[in-house]
Amino acid sequence: MTAAPGGPGPASATVPVGSCPYGDGTAGTEVFPVLALDQLDVFGEDFVRDPYPWLDVLRARAPVHRDVSTGLWLVSRYEDVRRVLLDPAAFRPDNAQHAITALSVPALRVLARAGFRLRPALANNATESHAGLRRVVTRFFNAQRVAAAVPVVERIAGELLDTVRAELDGHGGSDLFGTFAHTLPCRIMMELLGIDGLDPATLVRWSDASLELFYGRPTPERQLELAVLVGEFHQWLTSVVTDRAAPPDSFVGALVRHRLPDGEPVDVATAVGACFFVFIAGQSTTGQLIATVLRGALAEPGLWRRAAHEEGLAEAWVEEVLRREPPVTTWRRVAAEAVELGGVRLPAGAELLLMLLGSGSDREVFDAPERMRPDRANVRHHLSFGAGRHRCPGASLARTEAAVALREAARRLPGLRLAPDAPPPVLDLLSFRAPLEVRVSDSSR
């Protein structure tokens, strides 16, 4: 992340999740609401609650649209998004982790006192060092390691679901987000990467604070609170990276022993930057995916009980959620030089916001995209993990964790149903969207 100086934007807020994919309630029809794109606010309640009408209009009328409030060019069609992702020379990732809201001077001072400094490492790295660093990370998330990790995922999921069961028995309800979905990937990652001596709840808090500070619109007061947590996170990561006792075959050990293209050992700031990205992606965004998967499965008639035993259904449902409701909704790029995209001439330095959420609902690629159909033939053709050299290295692990989480929860708690409460609050950050609660009760009790 890069902390940009300057004044902050308006406060961030959470709003209820909408239940209808179209603003006029006519799911599946080719009807576009009357929406004025000059009123689009990617942080606004209308967009956060139900982004699909806006995304439909963008694809149909302005597939490459300059958003005045953020200064970003919104790219919403599948083919345009894919083209950008596959051409890192023309569309550089330099701004991928910049703070979307300029940070106040007091917040910057807090980060400076903590020594906060992240060099380009993975998602925002366009240098020659990227390929080697990516190989180090990918080695710990390849297919063989993920397959070997399934028993670990099942064990930890079972332990957390025992807590859910106790809450259901003792209180008549539980929140699958806080008790299960948000905690599961953190514990899995810490075990797989050999991280100990830290309370998982602390890592969750640090990770969430980082996302909010750099991808939200926190008030000046909130920025200070978040900066303290992000500073603590950075200091802890620095202590982990500089600990000479890290085993050579551990994730941190392999990272700090890595050599850059010029033969020099990787510097501390770059190693911390890689860890910063991996830990947040492996914890917060995977937890957001699991929460969305669980809530959607509970809302889909008949799917919850089928997912417990029907071979391949949990995996296919995860893919449909990734297509339609990915936790990572957007990603950023910078045009290296003047270029035409989607019929629009972009100047050199134009900053793009790739609407991953919108690309998964492009009717040119996905038939009846508003329908959740885990049996669709091109179910894995979405761009939610990116594409090309910057494709998410942890995609396989995230998919596996979400599928195992759904299958184990459905098997152990077959009577679960969504509590008849108001729609839950939703995370409303620039690049991240997910329900912040999945409240359930047990119909069998």
Side-chain angles (χ1 to χ4, degrees):
M1 314 290 182
T2 298
S12 176
T14 56
V15 297
V17 175
S19 58
C20 178
Y22 286 80
D24 58 3
T26 54
T29 61
E30 191 76 304
V31 175
F32 297 116
V34 179
L35 299 173
L37 289 178
D38 60 355
Q39 297 178 9
L40 170 61
D41 180 1
V42 293
F43 288 98
E45 180 177 334
D46 287 346
F47 186 86
V48 174
R49 183 186 68 250
D50 188 4
Y52 299 104
W54 292 101
L55 294 167
D56 288 340
V57 172
L58 282 169
R59 283 194 309 274
R61 301 177 187 167
V64 180
H65 169 74
R66 190 172 189 276
D67 178 56
V68 177
S69 65
T70 61
L72 300 170
W73 291 84
L74 313 186
V75 182
S76 52
R77 286 182 182 169
Y78 181 98
E79 288 302 330
D80 292 334
V81 172
R82 187 172 183 273
R83 174 190 165 189
V84 172
L85 290 171
L86 291 177
D87 191 350
F91 303 98
R92 295 172 60 89
D94 304 20
N95 64 338
Q97 293 177 264
H98 286 182
I100 189 61
T101 296
L103 302 184
S104 65
V105 171
L108 290 170
R109 286 173 178 163
V110 170
L111 293 174
R113 284 197 296 269
F116 186 88
R117 179 172 176 264
L118 298 178
R119 291 174 55 82
L122 293 171
N124 61 342
N125 190 354
T127 73
E128 293 182 353
S129 68
H130 173 264
L133 288 166
R134 181 181 171 85
R135 281 194 296 272
V136 173
V137 174
T138 303
R139 189 186 316 156
F140 286 84
F141 299 104
N142 61 29
Q144 183 177 0
R145 285 184 181 251
V146 170
V150 169
V152 176
V153 180
E154 291 174 338
R155 171 174 54 78
I156 296 175
E159 294 172 3
L160 295 174
L161 289 168
D162 286 343
T163 301
V164 174
R165 174 77 275 165
E167 290 180 353
L168 290 168
D169 291 342
H171 307 289
S174 181
D175 175 16
L176 290 182
F177 178 79
T179 305
F180 181 52
H182 209 37
T183 305
L184 176 63
C186 181
R187 286 190 51 188
I188 291 169
M189 184 182 61
M190 291 179 71
E191 184 160 332
L192 294 182
L193 298 185
I195 303 298
D196 53 24
L198 180 70
D199 180 6
T202 299
L203 184 54
V204 168
R205 186 165 59 253
W206 286 341
S207 181
D208 289 351
S210 301
L211 291 186
E212 185 179 350
L213 183 63
F214 291 103
Y215 293 92
R217 283 187 171 176
T219 63
E221 295 76 17
R222 180 62 176 160
Q223 283 187 11
L224 284 175
E225 296 173 3
L226 297 170
V228 170
L229 293 171
V230 172
E232 291 175 357
F233 187 21
H234 186 271
Q235 289 176 323
W236 175 77
L237 286 173
T238 301
S239 69
V240 170
V241 166
T242 55
D243 183 1
R244 299 297 180 184
D249 59 348
S250 69
F251 174 72
V252 173
L255 188 61
V256 299
R257 288 166 176 77
H258 174 66
R259 294 277 173 169
L260 297 174
D262 60 4
E264 292 296 312
V266 67
D267 57 281
V268 171
T270 299
V272 169
C275 288
F276 195 82
F277 175 81
V278 168
F279 281 32
I280 291 175
Q283 190 274 306
S284 285
T285 59
T286 303
Q288 292 156 16
L289 171 62
I290 294 171
T292 308
V293 164
L294 295 174
R295 189 173 191 276
L298 286 164
E300 187 76 8
L303 191 136
W304 186 259
R305 289 184 179 274
R306 289 173 55 205
H309 303 291
E310 190 171 318
E311 185 175 357
L313 178 58
E315 287 78 5
W317 180 256
V318 169
E319 294 304 322
E320 266 294 81
V321 169
L322 284 165
R323 176 192 66 81
R324 180 67 174 176
E325 300 182 82
V328 181
T329 56
T330 68
W331 212 241
R332 283 173 283 174
R333 289 292 186 268
V334 178
E337 56 188 28
V339 64
E340 183 175 303
L341 180 68
V344 176
R345 189 68 179 173
L346 300 175
E351 297 200 45
L352 315 182
L353 186 67
L354 308 181
M355 312 300 282
L356 303 180
L357 178 69
S359 70
S361 294
D362 192 329
R363 294 176 184 276
E364 294 297 316
V365 181
F366 301 103
D367 180 54
E370 74 284 349
R371 298 179 184 173
M372 296 296 288
R373 289 171 36 193
D375 61 340
R376 67 174 67 240
N378 61 347
V379 68
R380 289 177 67 107
H381 288 191
H382 58 79
L383 301 172
S384 298
F385 287 120
R389 64 178 295 186
H390 286 281
R391 187 176 182 277
C392 175
S396 180
L397 180 60
R399 283 182 162 114
T400 298
E401 287 184 35
V404 171
L406 171 56
R407 188 162 43 245
E408 288 298 300
R411 183 174 66 83
R412 291 169 177 261
L413 303 169
L416 278 195
R417 63 182 177 187
L418 289 174
D421 300 330
V426 63
L427 187 68
D428 64 340
L429 306 181
L430 177 72
S431 296
F432 305 93
R433 182 176 186 271
L436 294 175
E437 293 177 355
V438 184
R439 297 201 172 275
V440 293
S441 59
D442 191 344
S443 61
S444 64
R445 296 281 164 164

mmCIF file of all heavy atoms in Angstrom, residues 153 180 184 188 286 289-291 293-294 314-315 317-319 322 396-408:
data_model
loop_
_atom_site.group_PDB
_atom_site.id
_atom_site.type_symbol
_atom_site.label_atom_id
_atom_site.label_comp_id
_atom_site.label_asym_id
_atom_site.label_seq_id
_atom_site.Cartn_x
_atom_site.Cartn_y
_atom_site.Cartn_z
ATOM 1 N N VAL A 153 -7.682 -28.003 6.753
ATOM 2 C CA VAL A 153 -8.870 -27.164 6.595
ATOM 3 C C VAL A 153 -10.070 -27.826 7.250
ATOM 4 O O VAL A 153 -10.843 -27.184 7.977
ATOM 5 C CB VAL A 153 -9.146 -26.890 5.107
ATOM 6 C CG1 VAL A 153 -10.399 -26.019 4.947
ATOM 7 C CG2 VAL A 153 -7.948 -26.212 4.443
ATOM 8 N N PHE A 180 -17.053 -18.214 12.260
ATOM 9 C CA PHE A 180 -16.541 -19.254 11.365
ATOM 10 C C PHE A 180 -15.790 -18.694 10.156
ATOM 11 O O PHE A 180 -14.575 -18.851 10.032
ATOM 12 C CB PHE A 180 -17.716 -20.122 10.907
ATOM 13 C CG PHE A 180 -17.351 -21.259 9.999
ATOM 14 C CD1 PHE A 180 -16.356 -22.157 10.343
ATOM 15 C CD2 PHE A 180 -18.024 -21.440 8.790
ATOM 16 C CE1 PHE A 180 -16.020 -23.219 9.501
ATOM 17 C CE2 PHE A 180 -17.705 -22.498 7.943
ATOM 18 C CZ PHE A 180 -16.706 -23.388 8.297
ATOM 19 N N LEU A 184 -11.651 -18.822 10.065
ATOM 20 C CA LEU A 184 -11.121 -20.037 9.443
ATOM 21 C C LEU A 184 -9.877 -19.786 8.595
ATOM 22 O O LEU A 184 -8.837 -20.432 8.817
ATOM 23 C CB LEU A 184 -12.227 -20.703 8.619
ATOM 24 C CG LEU A 184 -11.827 -21.951 7.819
ATOM 25 C CD1 LEU A 184 -11.386 -23.074 8.757
ATOM 26 C CD2 LEU A 184 -12.971 -22.407 6.922
ATOM 27 N N ILE A 188 -5.937 -21.215 9.272
ATOM 28 C CA ILE A 188 -5.345 -22.103 8.267
ATOM 29 C C ILE A 188 -4.023 -21.531 7.773
ATOM 30 O O ILE A 188 -3.003 -22.228 7.713
ATOM 31 C CB ILE A 188 -6.316 -22.297 7.084
ATOM 32 C CG1 ILE A 188 -7.532 -23.113 7.526
ATOM 33 C CG2 ILE A 188 -5.615 -22.984 5.910
ATOM 34 C CD1 ILE A 188 -8.655 -23.125 6.518
ATOM 35 N N THR A 286 -10.248 -14.043 1.699
ATOM 36 C CA THR A 286 -10.766 -15.411 1.697
ATOM 37 C C THR A 286 -11.922 -15.544 2.679
ATOM 38 O O THR A 286 -12.909 -16.232 2.396
ATOM 39 C CB THR A 286 -9.649 -16.410 2.043
ATOM 40 O OG1 THR A 286 -8.571 -16.251 1.118
ATOM 41 C CG2 THR A 286 -10.161 -17.842 1.971
ATOM 42 N N LEU A 289 -14.924 -14.192 0.985
ATOM 43 C CA LEU A 289 -15.442 -15.169 0.024
ATOM 44 C C LEU A 289 -16.269 -16.235 0.733
ATOM 45 O O LEU A 289 -17.378 -16.569 0.304
ATOM 46 C CB LEU A 289 -14.287 -15.813 -0.748
ATOM 47 C CG LEU A 289 -14.652 -17.015 -1.628
ATOM 48 C CD1 LEU A 289 -15.632 -16.607 -2.717
ATOM 49 C CD2 LEU A 289 -13.397 -17.647 -2.221
ATOM 50 N N ILE A 290 -15.743 -16.783 1.824
ATOM 51 C CA ILE A 290 -16.452 -17.841 2.539
ATOM 52 C C ILE A 290 -17.796 -17.341 3.056
ATOM 53 O O ILE A 290 -18.817 -18.029 2.962
ATOM 54 C CB ILE A 290 -15.584 -18.388 3.688
ATOM 55 C CG1 ILE A 290 -14.346 -19.104 3.122
ATOM 56 C CG2 ILE A 290 -16.383 -19.343 4.573
ATOM 57 C CD1 ILE A 290 -13.331 -19.488 4.172
ATOM 58 N N ALA A 291 -17.820 -16.123 3.594
ATOM 59 C CA ALA A 291 -19.076 -15.567 4.100
ATOM 60 C C ALA A 291 -20.107 -15.441 2.988
ATOM 61 O O ALA A 291 -21.292 -15.764 3.177
ATOM 62 C CB ALA A 291 -18.823 -14.205 4.741
ATOM 63 N N VAL A 293 -20.188 -17.152 0.148
ATOM 64 C CA VAL A 293 -20.547 -18.512 -0.267
ATOM 65 C C VAL A 293 -21.597 -19.108 0.668
ATOM 66 O O VAL A 293 -22.605 -19.686 0.225
ATOM 67 C CB VAL A 293 -19.287 -19.402 -0.313
ATOM 68 C CG1 VAL A 293 -19.647 -20.881 -0.342
ATOM 69 C CG2 VAL A 293 -18.438 -19.048 -1.528
ATOM 70 N N LEU A 294 -21.386 -18.977 1.968
ATOM 71 C CA LEU A 294 -22.309 -19.555 2.943
ATOM 72 C C LEU A 294 -23.672 -18.876 2.891
ATOM 73 O O LEU A 294 -24.713 -19.548 2.877
ATOM 74 C CB LEU A 294 -21.722 -19.438 4.353
ATOM 75 C CG LEU A 294 -20.440 -20.225 4.624
ATOM 76 C CD1 LEU A 294 -19.908 -19.897 6.009
ATOM 77 C CD2 LEU A 294 -20.668 -21.728 4.491
ATOM 78 N N ALA A 314 -20.192 -28.160 -4.062
ATOM 79 C CA ALA A 314 -19.614 -27.070 -3.273
ATOM 80 C C ALA A 314 -18.589 -26.301 -4.108
ATOM 81 O O ALA A 314 -18.558 -25.064 -4.096
ATOM 82 C CB ALA A 314 -18.965 -27.614 -2.006
ATOM 83 N N GLU A 315 -17.757 -27.019 -4.842
ATOM 84 C CA GLU A 315 -16.743 -26.369 -5.666
ATOM 85 C C GLU A 315 -17.391 -25.520 -6.770
ATOM 86 O O GLU A 315 -16.959 -24.392 -7.043
ATOM 87 C CB GLU A 315 -15.828 -27.414 -6.305
ATOM 88 C CG GLU A 315 -14.861 -28.081 -5.345
ATOM 89 C CD GLU A 315 -15.513 -29.164 -4.471
ATOM 90 O OE1 GLU A 315 -16.703 -29.470 -4.681
ATOM 91 O OE2 GLU A 315 -14.818 -29.698 -3.585
ATOM 92 N N TRP A 317 -20.406 -24.209 -6.730
ATOM 93 C CA TRP A 317 -21.074 -23.060 -6.135
ATOM 94 C C TRP A 317 -20.070 -21.948 -5.821
ATOM 95 O O TRP A 317 -20.350 -20.769 -6.033
ATOM 96 C CB TRP A 317 -21.815 -23.481 -4.866
ATOM 97 C CG TRP A 317 -22.527 -22.343 -4.196
ATOM 98 C CD1 TRP A 317 -22.155 -21.669 -3.076
ATOM 99 C CD2 TRP A 317 -23.742 -21.718 -4.652
ATOM 100 N NE1 TRP A 317 -23.052 -20.672 -2.791
ATOM 101 C CE2 TRP A 317 -24.033 -20.675 -3.735
ATOM 102 C CE3 TRP A 317 -24.603 -21.944 -5.727
ATOM 103 C CZ2 TRP A 317 -25.159 -19.859 -3.885
ATOM 104 C CZ3 TRP A 317 -25.717 -21.129 -5.865
ATOM 105 C CH2 TRP A 317 -25.985 -20.103 -4.950
ATOM 106 N N VAL A 318 -18.908 -22.323 -5.345
ATOM 107 C CA VAL A 318 -17.861 -21.340 -5.077
ATOM 108 C C VAL A 318 -17.522 -20.575 -6.357
ATOM 109 O O VAL A 318 -17.368 -19.343 -6.347
ATOM 110 C CB VAL A 318 -16.603 -22.017 -4.495
ATOM 111 C CG1 VAL A 318 -15.418 -21.040 -4.475
ATOM 112 C CG2 VAL A 318 -16.883 -22.533 -3.091
ATOM 113 N N GLU A 319 -17.415 -21.284 -7.490
ATOM 114 C CA GLU A 319 -17.095 -20.611 -8.748
ATOM 115 C C GLU A 319 -18.187 -19.633 -9.167
ATOM 116 O O GLU A 319 -17.908 -18.540 -9.661
ATOM 117 C CB GLU A 319 -16.868 -21.642 -9.860
ATOM 118 C CG GLU A 319 -15.663 -22.524 -9.660
ATOM 119 C CD GLU A 319 -14.379 -21.744 -9.475
ATOM 120 O OE1 GLU A 319 -14.198 -20.701 -10.138
ATOM 121 O OE2 GLU A 319 -13.543 -22.165 -8.662
ATOM 122 N N LEU A 322 -17.829 -16.592 -7.093
ATOM 123 C CA LEU A 322 -16.695 -15.816 -7.570
ATOM 124 C C LEU A 322 -17.053 -15.042 -8.841
ATOM 125 O O LEU A 322 -16.605 -13.909 -9.032
ATOM 126 C CB LEU A 322 -15.509 -16.734 -7.845
ATOM 127 C CG LEU A 322 -14.755 -17.243 -6.610
ATOM 128 C CD1 LEU A 322 -13.859 -18.415 -6.970
ATOM 129 C CD2 LEU A 322 -13.938 -16.116 -5.982
ATOM 130 N N SER A 396 -6.007 -21.258 -5.731
ATOM 131 C CA SER A 396 -6.362 -22.655 -5.470
ATOM 132 C C SER A 396 -6.703 -22.881 -4.000
ATOM 133 O O SER A 396 -7.669 -23.572 -3.663
ATOM 134 C CB SER A 396 -5.214 -23.577 -5.895
ATOM 135 O OG SER A 396 -5.540 -24.940 -5.650
ATOM 136 N N LEU A 397 -5.912 -22.269 -3.114
ATOM 137 C CA LEU A 397 -6.177 -22.430 -1.685
ATOM 138 C C LEU A 397 -7.491 -21.763 -1.296
ATOM 139 O O LEU A 397 -8.282 -22.324 -0.530
ATOM 140 C CB LEU A 397 -5.033 -21.852 -0.863
ATOM 141 C CG LEU A 397 -5.194 -21.964 0.665
ATOM 142 C CD1 LEU A 397 -5.313 -23.417 1.099
ATOM 143 C CD2 LEU A 397 -4.026 -21.276 1.370
ATOM 144 N N ALA A 398 -7.748 -20.578 -1.822
ATOM 145 C CA ALA A 398 -8.995 -19.876 -1.497
ATOM 146 C C ALA A 398 -10.201 -20.676 -1.957
ATOM 147 O O ALA A 398 -11.192 -20.816 -1.215
ATOM 148 C CB ALA A 398 -8.995 -18.497 -2.152
ATOM 149 N N ARG A 399 -10.146 -21.204 -3.179
ATOM 150 C CA ARG A 399 -11.232 -22.042 -3.691
ATOM 151 C C ARG A 399 -11.462 -23.242 -2.773
ATOM 152 O O ARG A 399 -12.594 -23.584 -2.428
ATOM 153 C CB ARG A 399 -10.885 -22.559 -5.087
ATOM 154 C CG ARG A 399 -11.045 -21.573 -6.223
ATOM 155 C CD ARG A 399 -10.696 -22.270 -7.525
ATOM 156 N NE ARG A 399 -11.213 -21.557 -8.674
ATOM 157 C CZ ARG A 399 -10.470 -20.957 -9.595
ATOM 158 N NH1 ARG A 399 -9.153 -20.976 -9.476
ATOM 159 N NH2 ARG A 399 -11.038 -20.347 -10.620
ATOM 160 N N THR A 400 -10.368 -23.897 -2.404
ATOM 161 C CA THR A 400 -10.472 -25.107 -1.592
ATOM 162 C C THR A 400 -11.036 -24.801 -0.215
ATOM 163 O O THR A 400 -11.920 -25.514 0.279
ATOM 164 C CB THR A 400 -9.091 -25.769 -1.465
ATOM 165 O OG1 THR A 400 -8.635 -26.145 -2.776
ATOM 166 C CG2 THR A 400 -9.142 -26.993 -0.580
ATOM 167 N N GLU A 401 -10.544 -23.749 0.419
ATOM 168 C CA GLU A 401 -11.048 -23.386 1.742
ATOM 169 C C GLU A 401 -12.551 -23.103 1.698
ATOM 170 O O GLU A 401 -13.308 -23.542 2.576
ATOM 171 C CB GLU A 401 -10.316 -22.158 2.268
ATOM 172 C CG GLU A 401 -8.887 -22.429 2.695
ATOM 173 C CD GLU A 401 -8.235 -21.194 3.302
ATOM 174 O OE1 GLU A 401 -8.945 -20.427 3.975
ATOM 175 O OE2 GLU A 401 -7.027 -21.004 3.106
ATOM 176 N N ALA A 402 -12.992 -22.342 0.690
ATOM 177 C CA ALA A 402 -14.409 -21.985 0.600
ATOM 178 C C ALA A 402 -15.279 -23.213 0.360
ATOM 179 O O ALA A 402 -16.345 -23.354 0.968
ATOM 180 C CB ALA A 402 -14.614 -20.961 -0.508
ATOM 181 N N ALA A 403 -14.824 -24.128 -0.512
ATOM 182 C CA ALA A 403 -15.608 -25.331 -0.792
ATOM 183 C C ALA A 403 -15.676 -26.247 0.427
ATOM 184 O O ALA A 403 -16.739 -26.783 0.760
ATOM 185 C CB ALA A 403 -15.011 -26.082 -1.984
ATOM 186 N N VAL A 404 -14.539 -26.429 1.099
ATOM 187 C CA VAL A 404 -14.532 -27.268 2.304
ATOM 188 C C VAL A 404 -15.386 -26.631 3.395
ATOM 189 O O VAL A 404 -16.134 -27.316 4.101
ATOM 190 C CB VAL A 404 -13.087 -27.495 2.795
ATOM 191 C CG1 VAL A 404 -13.090 -28.181 4.165
ATOM 192 C CG2 VAL A 404 -12.305 -28.342 1.798
ATOM 193 N N ALA A 405 -15.306 -25.319 3.535
ATOM 194 C CA ALA A 405 -16.101 -24.630 4.550
ATOM 195 C C ALA A 405 -17.590 -24.856 4.316
ATOM 196 O O ALA A 405 -18.347 -25.137 5.258
ATOM 197 C CB ALA A 405 -15.790 -23.137 4.539
ATOM 198 N N LEU A 406 -18.029 -24.735 3.076
ATOM 199 C CA LEU A 406 -19.442 -24.951 2.758
ATOM 200 C C LEU A 406 -19.836 -26.404 3.005
ATOM 201 O O LEU A 406 -20.857 -26.679 3.648
ATOM 202 C CB LEU A 406 -19.698 -24.581 1.294
ATOM 203 C CG LEU A 406 -21.080 -24.952 0.738
ATOM 204 C CD1 LEU A 406 -22.197 -24.349 1.574
ATOM 205 C CD2 LEU A 406 -21.188 -24.524 -0.728
ATOM 206 N N ARG A 407 -19.044 -27.345 2.523
ATOM 207 C CA ARG A 407 -19.393 -28.755 2.652
ATOM 208 C C ARG A 407 -19.426 -29.186 4.117
ATOM 209 O O ARG A 407 -20.358 -29.882 4.556
ATOM 210 C CB ARG A 407 -18.383 -29.595 1.867
ATOM 211 C CG ARG A 407 -18.754 -31.068 1.774
ATOM 212 C CD ARG A 407 -18.016 -31.772 0.657
ATOM 213 N NE ARG A 407 -16.613 -31.408 0.590
ATOM 214 C CZ ARG A 407 -16.061 -30.747 -0.443
ATOM 215 N NH1 ARG A 407 -16.790 -30.375 -1.471
ATOM 216 N NH2 ARG A 407 -14.764 -30.462 -0.422
ATOM 217 N N GLU A 408 -18.424 -28.773 4.897
ATOM 218 C CA GLU A 408 -18.384 -29.170 6.306
ATOM 219 C C GLU A 408 -19.523 -28.532 7.102
ATOM 220 O O GLU A 408 -20.143 -29.186 7.956
ATOM 221 C CB GLU A 408 -17.035 -28.775 6.914
ATOM 222 C CG GLU A 408 -15.877 -29.629 6.434
ATOM 223 C CD GLU A 408 -16.051 -31.089 6.818
ATOM 224 O OE1 GLU A 408 -16.134 -31.391 8.026
ATOM 225 O OE2 GLU A 408 -16.128 -31.927 5.890
#
